Amino acid sequence: MTRRLVWALAFIFLLAPLFANAQDWPGKQPIKIIVPFSGGSATDIIARTVFNQVGSQIGVTFVVENRGGAGTTLGSSMVARSDPDGYTLLVNSTSHVVVASTYANLPYSVADDFAGISELADIPFVIATSTKYNTLSDLIAAGKKPGNHVLYGSAGAGSSGQLFIERLRLAAGFAATHVPFRGTPEGMNELIAGRLDVYPAPLLNALPLAKAGKIHVLAISATKRLALMPDVPTLAEEGLPNALYNFWIGAFAPAKTPKPIVDRLNHEVVTALKRPDIAEKIRALGGEPAPMSPAEFDAFVRKEIAVNAEIVKASGYKPQ
């Protein structure tokens, strides 16, 4: 037996369990969804909305575990290290690609340690405040006063919310100080209490609070006004088109998950997103369904890594 044949047989032997798992998937055991944000966040709500439907389609229970902290890296690290058997998945937001540039020593590779399943939804960021500021211009003017800093929060150091405000700060030329939180719900509570000047929130989280009069939305990161908030101007209308920032939510598996499992997950997720009732639920939350193929989503993620790296570089943010 030649050495090449021995190596080939050994390789097949090592892969055999994965192929067997792929044929048997999904079994009867629950599938775990790690959401690296606190419960009630936009990512958490979209994950539950989509995967509850996927569970109904394939007859399997999806269990969401919230593992927030460290700018989403704690939860993402768990998935990167998990068995690639289709039973542990990740639902993350734009923060997934941001940490590739904002963390110096990530225990995983954002580009190489995950297999994209599909984007789930696009949700615009809004700039939320308490009653202290009436317009975005008021907020920017306050941040331009000598010795004054706008105090803003986000869902963790190096998160997408922090990068959004940094991009806004650079475009408008004002000073700002960052206060990290474990998740958006915690930060919004501080905003309502008046201990923050501003919070960059996904529309999903801001909408009910704005309707209740607890917060005031100064502007929205979108190219046109939204039907859910028709009176709120876009950043372009405020003269800040360069401050636009893309917020999305997507699903991932560990990198070595067999392709048949990834493809099946993609098929079920896309089927769920195209259902009129699920699409309507997402739109009622301020989002837009965004189905993609695994290849499209992987390419999208790599492009987003590069885009956010440029923002980090321009902001002068030092990786932690």
Side-chain angles (χ1 to χ4, degrees):
M1 186 179 292
T2 65
R3 179 176 296 180
R4 180 176 296 179
L5 181 57
V6 170
W7 279 109
L9 290 172
F11 183 69
I12 292 171
F13 176 78
L14 289 172
L15 288 182
L18 290 180
F19 287 120
N21 288 342
Q23 287 182 329
D24 296 338
W25 191 96
K28 294 186 180 297
Q29 72 186 82
I31 297 173
K32 186 187 301 180
I33 305 286
I34 301 296
V35 173
F37 293 96
S38 56
S41 63
T43 308
D44 173 72
I45 293 171
I46 292 296
R48 294 175 190 273
T49 300
V50 174
F51 280 96
N52 281 345
Q53 173 58 39
V54 172
S56 297
Q57 291 169 191
I58 63 176
V60 173
T61 300
F62 283 83
V63 179
V64 174
E65 289 189 11
N66 298 101
R67 297 298 182 99
T72 75
T73 63
L74 293 180
S76 295
S77 181
M78 289 177 60
V79 177
R81 297 193 308 265
S82 67
D83 291 335
D85 56 8
Y87 290 100
T88 302
L89 308 176
L90 173 72
V91 173
N92 203 347
S93 71
T94 308
S95 292
H96 182 65
V97 296
V98 170
V99 298
S101 301
T102 56
Y103 279 74
N105 297 299
L106 275 180
Y108 58 85
S109 168
V110 175
D112 299 326
D113 287 345
F114 300 90
I117 296 170
S118 176
E119 186 180 353
L120 303 181
D122 287 311
I123 300 177
F125 260 134
V126 303
I127 301 169
T129 185
S130 59
T131 57
K132 186 174 181 180
Y133 302 105
N134 292 318
T135 66
L136 183 60
S137 297
D138 292 340
L139 176 75
I140 293 170
K144 287 183 175 181
K145 291 180 180 179
N148 197 21
H149 283 243
V150 168
L151 198 63
Y152 76 95
S154 82
S159 66
S160 56
Q162 181 181 13
L163 225 56
F164 173 38
I165 294 298
E166 286 301 306
R167 190 169 204 176
L168 175 67
R169 181 184 66 79
L170 289 171
F174 65 93
T177 299
H178 178 231
V179 181
F181 292 91
R182 191 173 182 83
T184 292
E186 294 86 346
M188 295 293 276
N189 286 338
E190 291 298 291
L191 182 72
I192 293 168
R195 290 186 284 269
L196 290 175
D197 291 317
V198 66
Y199 194 94
L203 177 59
L204 184 157
N205 293 109
L207 189 60
L209 296 174
K211 286 183 175 179
K214 294 182 178 180
I215 63 170
H216 178 53
V217 176
L218 301 177
I220 189 164
S221 182
T223 56
K224 60 181 181 180
R225 294 198 183 199
L226 301 182
L228 293 173
M229 285 188 167
D231 297 328
V232 177
T234 67
L235 287 174
E237 289 178 290
E238 292 290 321
L240 295 165
N242 292 336
L244 282 169
Y245 190 81
N246 186 32
F247 182 77
W248 51 266
I249 294 167
F252 304 84
K256 294 182 180 179
T257 302
K259 188 175 184 297
I261 293 178
V262 173
D263 288 345
R264 175 70 187 281
L265 281 163
N266 172 264
H267 171 77
E268 298 299 341
V269 165
V270 169
T271 298
L273 291 173
K274 290 183 176 180
R275 284 178 58 95
D277 56 336
I278 298 300
E280 182 54 36
K281 285 181 181 179
I282 292 173
R283 292 186 179 112
L285 294 168
E288 187 65 30
M292 292 183 181
S293 70
E296 289 171 336
F297 190 41
D298 282 336
F300 172 79
V301 167
R302 291 180 183 275
K303 181 178 178 181
E304 284 284 285
I305 290 172
V307 168
N308 281 276
E310 287 297 317
I311 300 173
V312 171
K313 182 178 179 180
S315 71
Y317 182 89
K318 302 300 180 184
Q320 299 183 1

